[in-house]
Structures are given as structure tokens and as C-alpha cells.
Amino acid sequence: MPVGRWRAGVAPLVAGGVVAGATLVLALVDPHEGGYPLCPLLALTGWACPACGGLRATHDLATGDIAGAWAMNPLWVVVVPFLVVAWVLWLRRAWTGTRARAVPAWAGVVALVVLVGFGVARNIPAMVPFLGPS
């Protein structure tokens, strides 16, 4: 493989290694037991932000408990496979030397609407049991 392609592959490999290492730490040190910082929004307002329960959901996914992860943060459980696919595509593009297509502007708007909608919905009292973090 040419040196330029090897250099291009370093960024996705380093990013993947950092994420794998962080996931391993979360798999070994259970956030359900405490020891991690509390969400500042939750601590100050009592409202669960869209990311609340993300560490516990990641721990549950890393240990194979999909139902537990869903109970902590269903949006994160849905997003993780897309992030994995995006990383694989990034690595493949770096390895083959192909350029990425531009992400359409509407995709960012849709992501923001989903994130805000989820953040609001999970704080509606009737939805808390379903969108928790429980």
C-alpha cells in the first residue's frame, strides 16, 4: 500500500482505537454503580438531556444487554449502528483513496430535529417510562 494511503488510514484507525478503548473501560467499570459524573442538565433541572443514560446504555451494549441499553437511552441504541457503518465507510474511503460525498444540508436539520424532539419527548411524564433513563 502506498505511504499516502497508509497516512490517510491513520485517522480512522486512531479514532476507532480511542472509541474501542473507551468502550472497554465502560464495559469493565459499570456506570450503573456510579463513579461517573452526573449530567449537568439533569443535576440542575431534573430534565434528562438527549444523551442522559448514554454511558449506561453503552455499558449495556458492550456487555450484550440490548434491552437494558434501550431502557437507558433508546436513541443511542438506534444511532450506534449508523456510527459503526459511518466509521467503516470512513476507513474504507481512507484505504482506497476515494473521496467522501458531501452530506446534504437537510441531514443536519433532520438530526437536530430528532435530537431536540427526543430531548423534549423523554421529559414528558407519560413518556418517561419508555424513553427514560430508568
Side-chain angles (χ1 to χ4, degrees), residues 101-121:
R101 288 183 282 167
V103 176
W106 59 264
V109 173
V110 168
L112 184 62
V113 167
V114 167
L115 196 63
V116 170
F118 178 71
V120 170

Side-chain angles (χ1 to χ4, degrees), residues 16-39:
V18 168
V19 170
T23 304
L24 179 62
V25 168
L26 279 171
L28 297 174
V29 182
D30 187 355
H32 294 280
E33 304 295 324
Y36 291 95
L38 185 63
C39 171

Side-chain angles (χ1 to χ4, degrees), residues 22-119:
T23 304
L24 179 62
V25 168
L26 279 171
L28 297 174
V29 182
D30 187 355
H32 294 280
E33 304 295 324
Y36 291 95
L38 185 63
C39 171
L41 182 69
L42 184 62
L44 292 173
T45 66
W47 297 341
C49 78
C52 277
L55 290 176
R56 290 174 284 163
T58 302
H59 167 80
D60 291 340
L61 286 172
T63 57
D65 182 6
I66 295 172
W70 187 268
M72 293 297 110
N73 192 321
L75 181 62
W76 182 240
V77 174
V78 170
V79 167
V80 165
F82 289 103
L83 292 175
V84 171
V85 168
W87 178 80
V88 168
L89 292 174
W90 179 25
L91 182 61
R92 191 180 106 209
R93 280 192 308 269
W95 225 252
T96 61
T98 57
R99 294 183 56 92
R101 288 183 282 167
V103 176
W106 59 264
V109 173
V110 168
L112 184 62
V113 167
V114 167
L115 196 63
V116 170
F118 178 71

